[in-house]
Amino acid sequence: MTIGGASSFTAGSESGPTVGRSLISCNWILKVSMSVAAPSVVTIVTVAAMIYLFQKTQFGRQVRAVASDRETAQLYGVPVGRLSILSFGIAGSLAGLAGVLIAGVGTPVDLNFGFLIMLGGFYAAILGGFGSLGGVVIGGFLTGIVQYVLGAYVFKNYASLLPFVLLIGVLAVRPTGLFTKGQTHGRL
């Protein structure tokens, strides 16, 4: 007997469980877990690389200086034009990578495809604080946990509204975000 290309045999009776069916379900679980794991690994590696790039290298220090005060950075000899072009290229590359990871293969794409994902990134940036890259990552995790865990188990009908509630609550208590120390431009 063949089910979906996998051979199976019955264990005793015709109504008993078959080995082929369990193999098929294991393959399905493996495919689903790989479709979630691969983008997650790529995302973690990319975020770690960006944190290292902007926190530990001369390039990152120069980019942060240009972002803080363009004219002063230029007076200190930072090549502002070149850094702006490189930063724009890195941002475009990251946007392209995000699009590939989100869209996957065979997903139809329309004009509103990334709008909700963009809103999630916006929530994460506000929650974590614009001056803290690690805070933005933690804000993204908080947004996801609130929307998909609390929304799936506690407030099923209000899952898409929960990030707004979290955002308003955080802004009421800490207007600069959870991980910003009261100012938007700190020490470089």
Side-chain angles (χ1 to χ4, degrees):
M1 178 174 168
T2 303
I3 299 175
S7 63
S8 66
F9 66 94
T10 57
S13 68
E14 286 296 319
S15 63
T18 63
V19 175
R21 288 184 185 155
S22 66
L23 287 175
I24 292 171
S25 65
C26 288
N27 287 340
W28 180 80
I29 291 171
L30 183 62
K31 286 180 184 178
V32 170
S33 64
M34 285 306 291
S35 69
V36 172
S40 298
V41 169
V42 171
T43 301
I44 290 169
V45 168
T46 304
V47 168
M50 290 297 106
I51 289 173
Y52 178 79
L53 179 70
F54 287 113
Q55 299 293 327
K56 304 291 184 187
T57 65
Q58 185 69 25
F59 172 77
R61 179 174 286 142
Q62 290 177 348
V63 168
R64 288 184 289 138
V66 170
S68 179
D69 189 355
R70 187 177 182 94
E71 290 82 19
T72 305
Q74 193 169 14
L75 289 173
Y76 275 98
V78 174
V80 174
R82 184 176 61 119
L83 282 176
S84 296
I85 292 170
L86 284 173
S87 297
F88 189 79
I90 290 172
S93 300
L94 290 174
L97 177 64
V100 168
L101 291 175
I102 291 167
V105 177
T107 304
V109 179
D110 63 354
L111 291 176
N112 297 324
F113 180 69
F115 183 72
L116 292 176
I117 297 166
M118 180 200 61
L119 281 180
F122 185 65
Y123 300 148
I126 292 175
L127 286 177
F130 285 106
S132 171
L133 185 58
V136 171
V137 172
I138 293 171
F141 281 120
L142 282 174
T143 302
I145 288 169
V146 164
Q147 184 169 3
Y148 294 107
V149 175
L150 249 122
Y153 297 110
V154 181
F155 303 107
K156 294 178 183 174
N157 295 331
Y158 302 105
S160 60
L161 184 67
L162 290 176
F164 288 113
V165 173
L166 177 66
L167 182 66
I168 291 170
V170 168
L171 287 177
V173 176
R174 291 192 54 111
T176 59
L178 292 176
F179 297 98
T180 305
K181 297 181 178 141
Q183 57 186 3
T184 56
H185 297 292
R187 182 176 162 212
L188 297 177

